[in-house]
Amino acid sequence: MIILALDTASAATSVALVDGDVILNSARHVDARRHAEVLAPLIAEVVAGHLVDAVVCGVGPGPYTGLRVGVASAQSLGLAWGVPVVGICSLDAIAHAARAEGVTGELIAALDARRKEVYWARYGAQRLVGPFVNRIDDLDPELLTMQWVGVGDEPRYPEASSLARIALPLLSAGAPVADRITDLATHGTDDGATANQLGQQQLLPPFPLYVRRPDAVAGAK
Amino acid sequence: MANGPLVLGIETSCDETGVGIVRGSTLLADEVASSIDEHARFGGVVPEIASRAHLEAMVPTIERACRVAKVKLSDVDAIAVTGGPGLVGALLVGTASAKALALALDVPLFAVNHLAGHIVVDELEHGPLPDSVIGLLVSGGHSSLIQLTGSDFHALGATLDDAAGEAFDKVARLLGLPFPGGPWIDQLAQSGDGAAIAFPRGLTSPHEGEVNRLNFSFSGLKTAVARWVKQQEQAGNAVSIPDVAASFQEAVVDVLTQKAFAACQETGIDHLVIGGGVAANSRLRALALERAARLGISVRIPRPGLCTDNGAMIAALGSRLLMSGATPSDLSFSTTSVLPIETVVLNGLG
Ligand SMILES: [Zn+2]
């Protein structure tokens, strides 16, 4: 099964074409303000004439504008090619890459949410809780003592190849795609919100995990 | 039977998710999903709400348009999409989808100027445009006078402050009417007297000078309406809402038509096309036709569904560009909130 995976939940635009364990092609560009310009050319370069069986996109959480560019692209590619499109929580990709590099024990995968906030989720063997969005200052101090991957001096971005590796066994096994958790997925709440009800479910519908309400963005008082 | 290229157009510059399909200049489908109800409680369009709604509606609206047009996506010869002007977050949903479709289907992509679409859309209803026309575009987002000659668009004038539709919304709010205000004012004005109150006509005095001859200004009018209503209330006089609505509307359409016909006379072009949401206003249509008849100018106004933002206008422009051999957009083009009408197709920088 050839999977095209893409992620735009962070400053990076990451695209990979994966066939089972083999990465056929991958490309990445880091610029938080140019997802819309770089994504389609990167996809064209990575796909390079291959026939794609499924599209997997990182559904965040992530700052909205760039995230939506990735999700809208994935949806339309799937529509045009007539192949399924599924979402994976982008924080799962960070945790997956950390495990692949040998990080053990509980960890927090996190991404910059701007406005002095972070998107984060806590992982054991799988995602235990999250994703949430919080001000770093508001987090339980105990959490801050744990292993964090993603944010920090050397930010680690979700890699599309990790998304593909998470999705492949689930897609091959015919795992169900989670129901739209409409209220949380589309609106979230605006008080250190959560999409925690997603639980360990890993195949998500291809829509952003917003985690914040839309008017929380417009207003901010 | 109609022929020409099959073009799918996507429009997401504001709160309407529009997908239109044309073959040549024949309209096959024009599907629109609007998020306007979700904005009503805020009294205006909230960009983040609009962007979310576009993403929700995008694929279902494309599928619906294909069903209505009885075509398969794989039959499409080109994709057109609004590249600007508009709300950037909203535009990005449409342009990301359009880039992905063009890439996956391996067809040319035209990222086009929304304003040019408002003029060219009339070809779907009234046939080919004459070689030279003046376009009057009036909506919640724009008030512009544009000259189209051959395939060149040229700005003649624009609003210096509020758009015409914005003035309708603001006055409607002042009168306690719901958002969007245009249709309510139009309806109330039917039972009012447009000559009851002499509201100001911005930038129309003979002393206005060259620079603003074809520009508009509506913020003074909005302020004048507010002041007038307040004065009447303070004096204990009953305010006739229909008279205020009619007199305000008369001031707007008087200015719009005066300037549009001045543009025709100055350029020697005797064809006027009116587009944008405010073109649905019944008094604007009536006054434009009346003045045009006196001046010997032909006026073309598409039906209301094609005046408001829609995908068909973008498809129509894309089809016209494809047939004229225009260079398609590169997949790396940037959307832009401000786009001069002289730029009809956006191209990539790289
Ligand atoms: Zn418009």
Side-chain angles (χ1 to χ4, degrees), chain B residues 11 13 114-115 118 139 141-142 276-277 307-309 313:
Chain B
E11 149 63 31
S13 67
H114 176 89
L115 303 182
H118 271 306
S139 75
H142 22 263
C307 284
T308 47
D309 292 349
M313 68 190 225

Side-chain angles (χ1 to χ4, degrees), chain A residues 100-113:
Chain A
E101 286 167 29
V103 178
T104 54
E106 284 204 8
L107 62 85
I108 305 283
L111 281 170
D112 185 0

Side-chain angles (χ1 to χ4, degrees), chain B residues 15 18 24 26 43 75 87 99 125 160 192 202 218 223 299 310 326 336-337:
Chain B
D15 62 308
T26 304
D75 297 332
L87 302 169
K99 287 181 181 188
E125 190 164 359
L160 303 181
F218 294 108
T223 311
V299 176
N310 62 78
T336 169
S337 60

Side-chain angles (χ1 to χ4, degrees), chain B residues 46 142 215 244 280 313:
Chain B
V46 180
H142 22 263
N215 285 335
V244 177
M313 68 190 225

Side-chain angles (χ1 to χ4, degrees), chain B residues 19 38 40 73 75 82 85 90 94 96 145 171 189 228 240 265 297 305 340 346:
Chain B
V19 178
E38 294 174 57
L73 257 187
D75 297 332
T82 301
L145 277 167
V171 167
W228 188 89
S240 159
Q265 289 179 312
I297 290 171
L346 282 173

